Amino acid sequence: MRAKVEAELASQTLAEYVNGADMLMKSLKEEKVEILFGYPGGAVLPIYDALYKAPIKHVLARHEQGAIHAAEGYARVSGKPGVVIATSGPGATNLVTGIADAMMDSLPLVVFTGQVASGVIGTDAFQEADVVGITMPITKHNYQVRDLKDLPRIVKEAFHIASTGRPGPVLVDIPKDLTLQQAYPVHEVEMDLPGYQPNFQPNPLQIKKLVDAIKVSKQPVILAGAGVLHGKATEELKTFAEQYDIPVIHTLLGLGGFPADHTLFLGMAGMHGCYASNMAIHECDLLINIGARFDDRLTGNLATFAPKAKVVHIDIDPAEIGKNVETQIPIVADAKQALARLLQHEAEKPDFDAWHQHLKSYKREYPFWYNQAHDVLSPQRLIEQVYEMTNGEAVVTTDVGQHQMWAAQYYSFKKPNNWVTSGGLGTMGFGFPAAIGAQLANPDNTVVAFVGDGGFQMTLQELVLLKELNLPVKVVLLNNGTLGMVRQWQETFFEKRYSQSVFSTQPDFVKLAESYGIKGYKVQTQEEVDSVLKEALTSDEPVLIDCWVNPKENVYPMVAPGKGLHEMLGVKP
């Protein structure tokens, strides 16, 4: 009798056991994961078997790089971590570019990679790669699961690390045998992160120093970066700028953090920023940096950057403060919390009218400009038209190159989280799959992907997802038959030696789109653009528009390498 009872108890206990793959699905469900971007393979087959019966949507990219860029687009628009899964070896290494991209641009990702069985790790087994070693420099943190009972804790920690403090990618490498191993489910999961304590609250004394600095300033300016967006601090930024009547400029990645149609907004600063913004930095006596990292494309020559300014740097990552630009008032804090504390101080609005009028004169005298050619499409005008037809409210993704800079210059963002681009790493192939993730994150909004004919060909296999998932993404292909930015630099700095920057052969992009079941248009004249854009942007289906733009058009103005922000080329026609 006793043996029978023990056998029944043992069978009940065994019945409660789950394998590692099911344990992972349970953990993802507890993290409220709605979408997985991935590609199956041998080392993750048990995970995909568990996914077969799990209530989580999976997006089957046609290349792992497409999957991770789509996850980046999803993360950028939704604010939630993008979740990616790939198999061991080449599956994992195909994710490396996207992981590095997310690290540079502070995007929250949780990346799961399969690994060969624990017993053969380190033996050069089939499809083995040291993904932990490879990704250590380009992740916020990474793990390799060694004991199945640690998996729920690791998953919980991965999501926490990815989405708190300065966001970033976290990788979890899981040996295949652990996904098959049986274990009793863990019901109470506690994190163990004693060394991870991001500082959200600003030092009150530093906040007081900033308030006092504003009082004595004559020519202040706010530089707003992506940290404002990550910190969900756009309303606080607007209130702060209005309270103290301070002009606002943006970094490339910060666009949308402050309304572009606001009277205090100057524009984007940096290599291809507007003259007024760059001169504001050059001439200001107080530079208030909120959530930007002072990268080289923003600063130009550091020796001449903001030479008259007392520099304030608000950033949640202490490693960024003082890294590139000497800072007089460092404030380590979340942007939202820092701005909230600033707004608690009684405002004494100084008289900055002369400063505003001075900067407005720069805007009037040196606006963005382009040549209105009659025999060839203007890429700048094309982007302006998309802006006008979407009322500046579309989600815009870009690849990298000339079209990226034109989109930043000529599409004015009124709302946050509508701008998705690769900034720090400058990843060609990013824009189109990022649009897929952006559309999944915001299914009711219009998503426009501005891409070049170079970068688009790196990840165009993901066109199949537009048809498969019925995603109404509008792909606007600025086709100039060249690697446009490479050609521009060769023209400007290499005496027009166009080495390998001009395509001799191109596919028929319209037929290519049609082969995936997507409607395609080819436009070569302004008249065609008007009618095609109107039809495409009001359609509820995916569309590709192959726009043959002026192949000789360059992006201006421009800060040449080694020059300061006040030494821009092409400020006037």
Side-chain angles (χ1 to χ4, degrees), residues 113-127:
T113 53
Q115 185 53 273
V116 298
S118 303
V120 293
I121 291 177
T123 68
D124 293 330
F126 177 66
Q127 291 193 329

Side-chain angles (χ1 to χ4, degrees), residues 327-349:
T327 302
Q328 284 73 48
I329 304 178
I331 301 175
V332 180
D334 171 74
K336 190 179 187 76
Q337 297 301 324
L339 287 166
R341 287 294 184 92
L342 284 165
L343 293 172
Q344 290 174 4
H345 285 258
E346 186 175 344
E348 295 181 21
K349 185 181 293 186

Side-chain angles (χ1 to χ4, degrees), residues 400-444:
V400 170
Q402 287 182 315
H403 69 276
Q404 177 190 32
M405 294 298 108
W406 286 321
Q409 291 175 343
Y410 291 96
Y411 197 103
S412 299
F413 294 92
K414 302 175 184 178
K415 298 179 180 180
N417 304 319
N418 279 4
W419 171 240
V420 184
T421 195
S422 172
L425 198 64
T427 304
M428 291 180 68
F430 170 90
F432 173 54
I436 293 169
Q439 187 76 81
L440 288 166
N442 196 341
D444 297 326

Side-chain angles (χ1 to χ4, degrees), residues 253-320:
L253 288 175
L255 290 171
F258 193 84
D261 55 356
H262 197 287
T263 55
L264 288 174
F265 184 64
L266 281 180
M268 181 179 73
M271 177 175 280
H272 293 292
C274 70
Y275 185 77
S277 293
N278 282 349
M279 290 307 294
I281 291 177
H282 188 68
E283 296 178 359
C284 71
D285 62 8
L286 179 65
L287 177 58
I288 305 169
N289 176 351
I290 307 174
R293 58 185 179 84
F294 284 133
D295 73 291
D296 59 298
R297 287 294 172 104
L298 168 73
T299 64
N301 187 343
L302 283 170
T304 60
F305 180 75
K308 306 172 186 177
K310 175 179 283 189
V311 177
V312 181
H313 193 168
I314 300 171
D315 205 297
I316 201 164
D317 185 354
E320 290 297 342

Side-chain angles (χ1 to χ4, degrees), residues 178-192:
L178 294 188
T179 63
L180 293 167
Q181 193 178 110
Q182 298 281 325
Y184 192 76
V186 179
H187 297 293
E188 297 295 330
V189 181
E190 293 186 6
M191 294 187 294
D192 183 22

Side-chain angles (χ1 to χ4, degrees), residues 7-249:
E8 287 178 356
L9 288 172
S11 65
Q12 289 173 5
T13 302
L14 287 172
E16 292 179 351
Y17 274 27
V18 296
N19 65 26
D22 287 326
M23 194 179 289
L24 175 61
M25 290 301 119
K26 181 177 182 292
S27 296
L28 294 179
K29 185 179 178 181
E30 289 175 353
E31 294 297 330
K32 297 181 172 56
V33 174
E34 298 171 342
I35 299 177
L36 276 173
F37 300 88
Y39 202 96
V44 291
L45 281 181
I47 295 174
Y48 272 83
D49 189 58
L51 181 63
Y52 189 80
K53 55 183 180 290
I56 301 176
K57 181 181 179 69
H58 182 273
V59 175
L60 176 62
R62 296 321 194 247
H63 190 284
E64 289 88 354
Q65 186 173 347
I68 196 162
H69 290 329
E72 288 185 275
Y74 176 86
R76 186 68 182 78
V77 171
S78 71
K80 305 172 185 176
V83 186
V84 185
I85 183 168
T87 195
S88 64
T93 58
N94 280 343
L95 297 175
V96 167
T97 298
I99 294 172
D101 189 271
M103 186 68 175
M104 290 283 277
D105 288 352
S106 303
L107 293 174
L109 297 183
V110 178
V111 180
F112 295 97
T113 53
Q115 185 53 273
V116 298
S118 303
V120 293
I121 291 177
T123 68
D124 293 330
F126 177 66
Q127 291 193 329
E128 180 185 3
D130 179 11
V131 67
V132 170
I134 291 168
T135 62
M136 191 170 290
I138 56 170
T139 51
K140 190 175 177 184
H141 193 58
N142 62 20
Y143 296 88
Q144 186 174 81
V145 183
R146 301 295 181 89
D147 190 321
L148 185 55
K149 71 175 186 297
D150 294 331
L151 179 59
R153 173 185 58 79
I154 287 172
V155 173
K156 189 177 183 69
E157 290 177 1
F159 278 87
H160 178 71
I161 293 169
S163 57
T164 57
R166 180 180 180 175
V170 177
L171 182 137
V172 180
D173 194 43
I174 310 176
K176 183 177 181 179
D177 57 308
L178 294 188
T179 63
L180 293 167
Q181 193 178 110
Q182 298 281 325
Y184 192 76
V186 179
H187 297 293
E188 297 295 330
V189 181
E190 293 186 6
M191 294 187 294
D192 183 22
L193 296 170
Y196 180 69
Q197 297 177 352
N199 184 56
F200 290 88
Q201 296 297 333
N203 184 311
L205 294 177
Q206 297 300 90
I207 291 292
K208 179 66 166 55
K209 285 182 182 180
L210 171 51
V211 173
D212 291 342
I214 294 173
K215 291 178 183 177
V216 299
S217 172
K218 300 297 182 185
Q219 299 181 165
V221 69
I222 296 168
L223 171 65
V228 171
L229 296 162
H230 294 313
K232 298 177 176 58
T234 55
E235 286 301 316
E236 288 81 1
L237 172 62
K238 182 171 176 286
T239 304
F240 172 66
E242 291 173 342
Q243 180 169 300
Y244 288 98
D245 197 31
I246 302 176
V248 178
I249 59 182

